[in-house]
Amino acid sequence: MIKRTLHFGKPAYLSARKQQLIVKYPDSEEEKSVPIEDIGLLLLESHQITLSHYLIHLLLGNNVAIVTCDAQHLPQGMMLNLNAHHIQQGHFRVQIEASQAAKDRLWKQTIKAKINNQAALLAQNNIAVENMSRWASKVQNGDPDNFEARAAAYYWKCIFTDLVSRFKRGRYEGEPNNLLNYGYSILRAIVARSLIGSGLLPTLGYHHSNQNTMLIAWQMT
């Protein structure tokens, strides 16, 4: 079943009753409800939202990712269930003890899939992708030749040519980077939720290493 993403961009009071998320707005007497089991991601954009602790307890118990936004309306923090799988401890141990060879093989799979997906989107826009296909086929374990960076440079150079001249991808660059960063944050929360639900640690990566590392790293440059 595809879980729902709920976005709250204005003041609201969120509580729970009988396994339902209850929504009340200060300017209305009307009350809305959503089954908690149908929710996958709760996105809180307004800073005038109040949540009951009981609701948080139920949301995390149902493996719902709770994402909060900063003053610029960009995702800032995420709350995840710490006990979402019955054999979580065993999975943690296997994940932590994974060999470098296994991590390199996983990285190869990730980069090949990333380059192929980038190429597919470029092809849909009638942009040449022969070089992308060639790079994807040459990726080795651990990507020692850094085909990921080559493909990313070509992809971002081509993808927005009709909208933005000399587009540069980066965390703090101009539009549409802010929209891309927002989208990446939402995807990251969804992936993290799935990893937690599988009994894995989303903060323990197999290649990229920083405070935001995930098992599947979303390369942003």
Side-chain angles (χ1 to χ4, degrees):
M1 176 182 177
I2 299 178
K3 298 289 186 175
R4 298 176 61 180
T5 296
L6 300 183
H7 168 266
F8 292 92
K10 63 180 182 179
Y13 177 74
L14 309 180
S15 60
R17 185 190 312 128
K18 296 181 179 179
Q19 299 297 314
Q20 301 273 322
L21 167 65
I22 306 301
V23 184
K24 293 182 180 179
Y25 295 107
D27 57 353
S28 173
E29 295 295 328
E30 183 181 3
E31 190 177 272
K32 298 181 179 180
S33 64
V34 180
I36 291 177
E37 65 179 0
D38 293 346
I39 305 171
L41 175 67
L42 190 71
L43 180 60
L44 308 175
E45 184 175 349
S46 172
H47 285 182
Q48 294 178 291
I49 296 175
T50 301
L51 285 79
S52 70
H53 185 260
Y54 180 57
L55 171 62
I56 296 174
H57 156 70
L58 292 180
L59 290 172
L60 295 181
N62 281 271
N63 198 28
V64 178
I66 304 173
V67 176
T68 60
C69 294
D70 60 19
Q72 285 70 47
H73 307 284
L74 293 174
Q76 180 181 41
M78 177 169 52
M79 188 180 297
L80 295 168
N81 191 0
L82 293 179
N83 190 30
H85 199 279
H86 66 287
I87 56 173
Q88 188 178 63
Q89 185 176 4
H91 284 189
F92 285 175
R93 183 172 60 254
V94 172
Q95 182 183 355
I96 292 171
E97 296 175 354
S99 67
Q100 187 59 50
K103 295 177 182 178
D104 286 345
R105 288 194 299 271
L106 290 171
W107 189 245
K108 174 183 177 180
Q109 294 176 15
T110 301
I111 298 310
K112 284 177 66 75
K114 177 185 176 184
I115 295 175
N116 284 327
N117 286 335
Q118 289 173 328
L121 185 56
L122 292 179
Q124 290 179 8
N125 288 274
N126 299 315
I127 298 172
V129 295
E130 289 78 8
N131 55 339
M132 299 281 280
S133 299
R134 184 173 65 255
W135 291 333
S137 68
K138 291 184 176 181
V139 176
Q140 301 178 27
N141 291 346
D143 190 24
D145 299 306
N146 204 12
F147 285 111
E148 179 195 18
R150 300 189 208 182
Y154 180 75
Y155 175 79
W156 292 117
K157 174 184 176 181
C158 298
I159 192 63
F160 289 122
T161 52
D162 292 340
L163 299 174
V164 182
S165 61
R166 298 182 180 179
F167 172 77
K168 182 179 180 181
R169 180 72 182 109
R171 186 181 297 272
Y172 304 110
E173 301 292 337
E175 295 182 355
N177 279 287
N178 57 334
L179 302 178
L180 292 170
N181 293 340
Y182 190 95
Y184 275 124
S185 297
I186 300 304
L187 290 174
R188 182 179 185 276
I190 293 172
V191 172
R193 172 186 172 274
S194 298
L195 292 172
I196 286 288
S198 299
L200 298 173
L201 280 169
T203 54
L204 185 61
Y206 54 68
H207 193 276
H208 286 238
S209 298
N210 57 50
Q211 67 270 25
N212 296 316
T213 297
M214 286 180 42
L215 278 173
I216 297 179
W218 298 96
Q219 180 72 5
M220 300 181 68
T221 58

